[in-house]
Amino acid sequence: MAYSAAALASAETTGFSADKPMMVVQQADSPAEAHWTTTGNLTGTDVTLAAEPAARAYDEFGGLVTSTTGVASTSPKYYGFNFSTAISFDVLLLTGHNFNSISITSVALEIADDAAFSSNKIEIAKYTISGTTDNRILITNLNSAGGSSTYSPGGTAQRYSGVEHARLVVAHSSSKDPELGEIWLGYRYQLQRNPDIPWNNKNEASLAADYVSNSGITKRYTFYRGQALRTFQASIAAAAEITVIDGWFNAINEGTRPFVYIETPSSSAQAIIVMLDDAGLSFPLVGPTERRLAFSMTEQP
């Protein structure tokens, strides 16, 4: 089966350019095989260590691990995927990596029509590593520009469908092992409006437990810090937008799977992996055609 590419719908690009919120749903949740290798196909091995955790348990991504093993050479390493069922995606998100820390040069995403990457191979994303902080890598403009097989930051954003074979190409000259906590090959659900409620993009909470001794001294045990909390309420009347909401909710299995929430996708985009606080959708009619969308979500630690 050959993959295909198409430009995003005009409503998607309009909402994106206007910096309206975007929800991204993981498509790579059950590959037949996925791991590190130095040869490009899936013949290598991988490892899960306590200090290098595998993918988040709620992602249903059983084969995804972080560290290479037995492939610690100075050549480009690969993280390869073979999908038993072809997927469609238009966003790349990499989290929990150590690429800056070990001086990796760049990371790129390639797709092809075969596991050996010898048929119709193209590069649809590339990120040049700079600095020393291992921040999340988010690319919402996947493309293989024009007639070229190489990604262009200024190219037209594409959605790729029918993809069965994909791989990350990690280029560096070090013998250190790259680590990668999670890979999202995501499908976007682009909203056309901001929430009606006051915009609170600083709403955060930390989970801690206090122990008070007999002397009155309090000891605070911290589980995690700075967890983002978001609430969304908006009136939506356009049939196309209602369809987007229905599609998104179905894609997260009626609120039982995580998704990526991006508040301002075209400026200072930050990808927050969230779950709905309640596994349900409140979307009642408040007029002949208008519906009131309301949901709250919490960042996954």
Side-chain angles (χ1 to χ4, degrees):
M1 177 178 177
Y3 64 78
S4 61
L8 299 175
S10 59
E12 293 174 313
T13 56
T14 298
F16 181 92
S17 299
D19 236 6
K20 304 307 180 186
M22 185 170 76
M23 285 95 81
V24 178
V25 179
Q26 171 74 287
Q27 302 301 295
D29 57 1
S30 57
E33 193 174 11
H35 58 242
W36 290 99
T37 174
T38 54
T39 60
N41 54 28
L42 299 181
T43 58
T45 55
D46 45 37
V47 66
T48 299
L49 304 175
E52 301 164 355
R56 302 167 189 264
Y58 54 72
D59 276 349
E60 306 166 6
F61 204 114
L64 179 59
V65 297
T66 59
S67 179
T68 62
T69 180
V71 291
S73 67
T74 57
S75 57
K77 297 177 176 71
Y78 302 96
Y79 193 92
F81 302 86
N82 272 345
F83 299 108
S84 54
T85 301
I87 67 170
S88 299
F89 64 95
D90 51 59
V91 173
L92 172 66
L93 173 64
L94 306 178
T95 74
H97 64 83
N98 67 342
F99 294 166
N100 287 320
S101 300
I102 66 171
S103 301
I104 282 177
T105 305
S106 66
V107 58
L109 177 65
E110 296 178 341
I111 60 174
D113 285 340
D114 63 344
F117 283 77
S118 60
S119 175
N120 294 329
K121 182 188 75 174
I122 59 173
E123 179 185 82
I124 60 174
K126 188 169 186 177
Y127 183 83
T128 300
I129 308 297
S130 62
T132 58
T133 303
D134 295 323
N135 293 329
R136 295 178 174 182
I137 297 174
L138 173 66
I139 301 178
T140 56
N141 181 20
L142 305 185
N143 70 83
S144 182
S148 170
S149 61
T150 303
Y151 171 75
S152 169
T156 301
Q158 302 281 302
R159 175 171 294 130
Y160 290 87
S161 302
V163 178
E164 294 182 359
H165 309 284
R167 69 182 183 186
L168 287 175
V169 183
V170 181
H172 69 114
S173 58
S174 167
S175 61
K176 296 180 179 179
D177 288 337
E179 299 171 10
L180 184 59
E182 192 164 7
I183 302 169
W184 283 68
L185 299 179
Y187 190 106
R188 78 183 67 194
Y189 291 86
Q190 178 66 57
L191 301 181
Q192 302 299 308
R193 63 197 66 239
N194 289 324
D196 296 336
I197 61 174
W199 194 258
N200 186 1
N201 61 345
K202 300 297 183 183
N203 189 10
E204 296 180 349
S206 301
L207 180 61
D210 290 349
Y211 170 78
V212 182
S213 68
N214 290 336
S215 64
I217 296 176
T218 298
K219 172 68 175 179
R220 177 159 291 171
Y221 296 93
T222 303
F223 297 95
Y224 54 79
R225 298 174 291 115
Q227 187 178 36
L229 308 175
R230 298 292 185 269
T231 300
F232 190 101
Q233 295 181 24
S235 296
I236 297 177
E241 291 187 83
I242 292 174
T243 299
V244 168
I245 300 302
D246 287 338
W248 157 71
F249 190 66
N250 290 334
I252 58 172
N253 290 351
E254 288 70 41
T256 60
R257 294 183 60 198
F259 61 97
V260 173
Y261 183 70
I262 305 175
E263 289 171 322
T264 54
S266 67
S267 66
S268 303
Q270 292 187 2
I272 307 172
I273 301 175
V274 299
M275 285 279 280
L276 293 182
D277 292 341
D278 296 308
L281 178 67
S282 178
F283 203 21
L285 280 166
V286 291
T289 59
E290 183 178 307
R291 289 184 177 272
R292 184 72 178 171
L293 175 64
F295 59 90
S296 60
M297 49 197 163
T298 301
E299 182 179 16
Q300 298 303 287

